[in-house]
Amino acid sequence: MMAVRAVHSCSILRSASSSPPLPTFRRCCLFHLSTLQCRRYPSLECRGFPVCRTQSQCFNYGGIQSRSVQSLVESVMEELKARRRRKRVSATSIMGVPSSEELLEDRLVNRSLQKGLLLEFKKDSDRMLLAVAQKPDGKKNWMVSDQNGVTSSIKPQQVTFIVPGIENFDQSDIADFIEKAHENLDPALLEFAWVELLERNKSVTTAELAEMIFGSAEPLESYCAHLLLSKDEIYFTVLETKGARSIYGPRPSLQVEELTRKKLAREAAEKELQEFVQLLTSAKSMPLHAKPPKSSWLGEEQIQCRIESLEAYSIDACKTDEQRKTAGMILKAMGLAKIASSAVNLLIDIGYFPVHVNLDLLKFNIRTDHSEEVNMAAESLLSNTSDQDEINRNDLTHLKVYAIDVDEADELDDALSATRLQDGRIKVWIHVADATRFVQPGSIVEREAMRRGTSVFLPTATYPMFPEKLAMEGMSLKQGEICHAVTVSVVLHPDGSIAECSLDNSTIKPTYMLTYESASELLHLNLEEEVELKILSEAATLRLQWRRRQGAIDTATLETRIKVANPEDPEPTINLYVENQADPAMQLVSEMMILCGEAVATFGSRNNIPLPYRGQPQSDIDLSAFSHLPEGPVRSYAVVRIMRAAEIDFRKPIRHGVMGLPGYVQFTSPIRRYLDLLAHYQLKAFLRGDPPPFSAGQLEGMASVVNANVKVAKRLFNTSLRYWILEHLRRQPKAKRYSALILKFIKDRIAAVLLVEVGHQASAWVSVGRQIGDEIEVKVEEAHPRDDVLSLKEVV
């Protein structure tokens, strides 16, 4: 191996045949250095210092370039020693630079700060700056003027290097000094020095390294040596530091080999990252219609890994530190802040996410599709027409049956019938789809329904608890078709209380599929041929009056429904509906569902059947305290705020104070709610004469799992609904005014209000003197759905 020492204008080659072997790094280095180009800086109060430029470099890995120049080397070495002696004398006498002997005596003597010194200091964790010391600032700090022309106060511990040999540097020369230094930073010189020092087992200071590779320890060379050492990650390590001075030692060969391998791997990864960044940049610049499809980002493993890291980062769901680190590096390389919203916007900009991506859908890991196994099992159930309850079904196909729901309902669980008995009392039938006819406890389809807990209803889509075809074709009630149901029949006393109730398997033939709007219109028309609908409305009125006498609390308010037709589009169509829960048709359906729940609880209690009995104790609420508030949403809001949480008992009914009922069981939605399905299993087993499939303890355990998923689905619905309400408001003209009801005061003049036309609660600045219940006009100042920001202000 040949080790090379570079000097001013010649190449020194020294035979190192006697040196210890250096695995992998055995090489021959030949440096051709041009004649030093010198520039004089008057402010240095010394002679011009040389600047070295490497013209070419020659490395031979694994081989040796034979050059028999022993006599030449010896003569040149003598000349080099003589030159160095002359330089040391000159440097000591003219510039005040200590000789190498003085450096060796005390290599870590630290130079104190004084005016005019050129120094490097740590600005922050990422930046080092050159500056000129100006004057002390207090007892320890110094005022310095840096390379950017900024004057600031720094602490002594921020100083990382004091350029030697300079006493009165001109700040205007810093930029030129830095430029000259960077022109001469050749990492190959550092490798050469490492080879030399490793062979001799020697450490080195900055000045000594400058002498070694540049043949001089003058200011520029010393600073260049400092830069090489401070930025080095391979060859040298800091052995000792005192203030702004350090001693460096060569790393062992094996360690250098390992660090080099890591560096090459890092550089390769950085190259791949830059290529990926170019892909992202290119996709960002494309028009929307031309952006690559989502699938194109998932074809290559490395690209997919990076995209998935960004996706996980966008919803704060990184599974590993490596995933988080990868996403952070991508965002930094793209010039973006390392926050979740940056990742979201980037994925939207490249077309991977739609503009209106539902992040909560990803965050909560909601199952949007059923597995192939579950779908196949559902298909098999549909083809099986057997009915174990066929001989015990009551034929109720002679009844007029009304199914009333929202216009876009996909799953129709329930329908209603009514008649007036000869004694004048009203009899009603609540028909509920018989979902358990298809799905038995313990089956793969039933277990999947339990894992989901509920169907998920969003403005953009519905994700059913059961496979779509089974839920909407097999289980749902259909107009004009023979359908299987579980029917709860109730005879009412004239005061609205239950006189009789029973529960049976049945077959029905739904007559009408009505929306709330069309049902309300039929009620208003009061048609003789729809007398059954009028009887249902009369029953609902009786029931509401009876419940109020039992202490029921009216919580009717405005409810918003949104349907987004084409959510993948940047500007999808938003259809917004505001429903008043006090609407006659909505009140009719609500009262009949509540009646069904009370009847089922009564039936279960009489027959000692474990069921999910729901209750809500509200005996401590004094409604007279709210009598000063206007009826409707304002009063309902005030009452709901002080209500206690609902409870469930699986052994016996508990009072439901809010509804004014002695007991209540949710029963009317077995296609969309798993706990309703459990109630069906329990009651249908009783009708067959079988023991209930689940004990009270088993029901309680299952309910705890299901309710956790139901809470997630409810939160997802609420956040999604709010997003689209804000998106709707964002699109409206800025000058548009909205009617709002003041619900309560939050702080000073900030009030909680209900936007009547939108059915949405928000906060707004209101004028002095406003009261709870006042109707005001507000306008939207800001609406940012992605950031969940809505700012309203009263129009005075």
Side-chain angles (χ1 to χ4, degrees), residues 635-671:
R635 187 181 294 182
S636 295
Y637 177 83
V639 173
V640 167
R641 283 177 56 214
I642 63 171
M643 284 184 179
R644 291 159 62 186
E647 301 172 0
I648 301 182
D649 191 301
F650 298 92
R651 292 165 179 81
K652 63 183 185 300
I654 53 177
R655 176 169 172 75
H656 203 301
V658 173
M659 292 185 183
L661 303 177
Y664 176 74
V665 174
Q666 278 190 341
F667 187 76
T668 56
S669 298
I671 303 177

Side-chain angles (χ1 to χ4, degrees), residues 555-753:
T555 58
T557 186
L558 302 181
E559 193 171 276
T560 308
R561 231 176 359 100
I562 286 183
K563 196 71 175 176
V564 181
N566 43 349
E568 296 293 317
D569 291 354
E571 292 288 326
T573 303
I574 301 174
N575 297 307
L576 184 145
Y577 311 90
V578 178
E579 298 169 342
N580 188 341
Q581 292 177 331
D583 173 81
M586 293 199 77
Q587 196 172 79
L588 184 157
V589 173
S590 176
E591 285 300 327
M592 293 302 100
M593 297 305 106
I594 293 172
L595 173 61
C596 179
E598 183 189 357
V600 169
T602 301
F603 187 89
S605 176
R606 287 175 183 171
N607 297 287
N608 199 28
I609 304 172
L611 291 169
Y613 298 100
R614 292 180 177 271
Q616 195 168 13
Q618 297 300 144
S619 58
D620 57 339
I621 293 181
D622 180 11
L623 292 180
S624 64
F626 303 96
S627 59
H628 65 287
L629 298 175
E631 287 188 11
V634 176
R635 187 181 294 182
S636 295
Y637 177 83
V639 173
V640 167
R641 283 177 56 214
I642 63 171
M643 284 184 179
R644 291 159 62 186
E647 301 172 0
I648 301 182
D649 191 301
F650 298 92
R651 292 165 179 81
K652 63 183 185 300
I654 53 177
R655 176 169 172 75
H656 203 301
V658 173
M659 292 185 183
L661 303 177
Y664 176 74
V665 174
Q666 278 190 341
F667 187 76
T668 56
S669 298
I671 303 177
R672 63 183 76 177
R673 287 197 301 248
Y674 184 79
L675 286 187
D676 291 37
L677 187 73
L678 283 181
H680 277 241
Y681 282 137
Q682 299 292 89
L683 291 166
K684 282 175 63 67
F686 175 82
L687 294 178
R688 286 193 298 267
D690 296 333
F694 305 107
S695 68
Q698 288 173 318
L699 288 177
E700 186 172 2
M702 297 163 78
S704 65
V705 174
V706 170
N707 284 334
N709 293 332
V710 170
K711 285 180 181 178
V712 170
K714 186 175 181 180
R715 179 180 172 186
L716 179 62
F717 168 77
N718 289 335
T719 57
S720 184
L721 180 65
R722 177 175 169 83
Y723 177 92
W724 287 106
I725 289 174
L726 265 59
E727 175 64 14
H728 169 77
L729 293 173
R730 183 189 69 81
R731 298 186 189 182
Q732 304 308 305
K734 285 290 183 182
K736 185 172 181 177
R737 300 182 178 192
Y738 300 86
S739 178
L741 292 170
I742 297 179
L743 301 175
K744 75 163 187 173
F745 284 94
I746 301 171
K747 183 181 179 182
D748 299 330
R749 291 167 55 198
I750 303 176
V753 299

